[in-house]
Amino acid sequence: GATLPLPKASPPTLAVLGPTANATDVMQGNYYGNAPFVVSVVAGLQKYTKSVAYVSGCADVKCADDSGFDGAVMTAKAAESVVLVVGLNQGQESEGHDRTDLALPGKQAELIEQVAAAAKDPITLVILSGGPVDVSAAKANAKVGAIVWAGYPGQSGGDALAQIIFGDVNPSARLTQTWYPAAFAQQVSMFDMGMRPNATSGNPGRGYRFYTGTPVFAFGEGMSYTTFAYANLSVANAAPAKHAIGPADVVAVTCVVTNTGERDGDEVVQVYVRDVV
């Protein structure tokens, strides 16, 4: 919906909000050395516009109360554009510490709702997390114009996000995970290692191959600032000789990919293969 990218030539006054907007440790994830510097989201965006107002809204990622919401809402109202940064940290997910639910911690979802309602235009929601979180409400909210999942983006993560938000980089990534609704964590125990659906245990299946529910976001989903068209799909040697070894076992898949939008961009072509035997 053209929420992103923001105009670099005439940058808007920007409200950068959320419990991880100015955090640095969380950006390094779980395994990391001593980074010589870490660029927060706020610091990255300040390189594109000096008119940045930062308010956390929550005291920390736990977001146990809404005492800071009024400041975030007022800041959102005053800005031309809003970037709201939410998500997780090592307190929720880390080596030796499994997550027990798929919801955003505490009152983060309420912060999204209130900030989006207060903003002049649809907001950009940035999620810092290693695993999926149920952002169904945000996805359905017309005042949330763009969602960027950034993982734990490392020492220059704030620069990378700013380059995407202001259009110096046209994102082309694909989700490497199936994002489940929060109810998934109640449907199947984390100790049930089965991938396929199991009516006896209630396991709804895992991953894009076996999950039978409707995901929040599907494995392989991704958007960019342009559009692509596929044509002339062909598959050569789709049925090689049985038990053949060598070149006869190579299946060639070709297609023509055309950028049909107004910006340069990259497209990740996805090919799914299964063994019919």
Side-chain angles (χ1 to χ4, degrees):
T3 298
L4 293 179
L6 300 180
K8 188 171 66 169
S10 55
T13 59
L14 199 58
V16 185
L17 313 172
T20 53
N22 203 35
T24 52
D25 286 348
V26 62
M27 302 182 75
Q28 299 176 86
N30 205 162
Y31 299 103
Y32 56 88
N34 295 319
F37 59 86
V38 182
V39 182
S40 70
V41 180
V42 171
L45 291 170
Q46 284 174 334
K47 297 178 182 179
Y48 284 82
T49 173
K50 299 302 180 185
S51 182
V52 173
Y54 160 66
V55 175
S56 66
C58 298
D60 52 32
V61 168
K62 294 178 181 178
C63 201
D65 62 69
D66 58 5
S67 58
F69 283 17
D70 287 348
V73 166
M74 293 299 294
T75 305
K77 285 181 178 179
E80 293 173 324
S81 294
V82 175
V83 176
L84 176 58
V85 190
V86 299
L88 311 175
N89 64 14
Q90 302 307 296
Q92 283 75 42
E93 53 179 5
S94 63
E95 185 72 30
H97 182 71
D98 293 327
R99 291 169 63 191
T100 56
D101 63 68
L102 293 168
L104 285 167
K107 295 181 178 293
Q108 285 192 33
E110 296 173 33
L111 178 65
I112 296 171
E113 183 178 0
Q114 292 191 28
V115 166
K120 293 182 176 69
D121 293 318
I123 70 170
T124 296
L125 180 67
V126 175
I127 302 169
L128 301 184
S129 70
V133 287
D134 187 349
V135 289
S136 300
K139 181 182 178 182
N141 189 335
K143 289 294 295 290
V144 177
I147 299 175
V148 180
W149 177 53
Y152 294 127
Q155 69 177 24
S156 296
D159 285 333
L161 277 162
Q163 289 164 13
I164 287 173
I165 288 170
F166 278 94
D168 278 345
V169 172
N170 186 350
S172 60
R174 302 289 192 179
L175 276 182
T176 58
Q177 308 162 344
T178 300
W179 281 39
Y180 306 99
F184 179 86
Q186 282 73 53
Q187 287 178 283
V188 56
S189 166
M190 68 175 69
F191 300 109
D192 179 346
M193 299 300 167
M195 294 294 292
R196 298 174 185 274
N198 186 320
T200 301
S201 68
N203 187 338
R206 284 188 168 88
Y208 74 92
R209 291 182 66 196
F210 301 118
Y211 179 56
T212 55
T214 301
V216 178
F217 290 109
F219 174 91
E221 276 198 70
M223 299 177 70
S224 80
Y225 302 148
T226 187
T227 54
F228 295 91
Y230 288 63
N232 300 333
L233 174 67
S234 67
V235 182
N237 199 31
K242 288 185 178 180
H243 310 300
I245 298 175
D249 285 333
V250 177
V251 177
V253 180
T254 61
C255 66
V256 176
V257 181
T258 304
N259 185 336
T260 56
E262 298 178 353
R263 291 175 175 269
D264 290 344
D266 297 325
E267 175 73 343
V268 177
V269 179
Q270 299 177 78
V271 178
Y272 292 79
V273 180
R274 67 185 178 95
D275 187 339
V276 296
V277 177

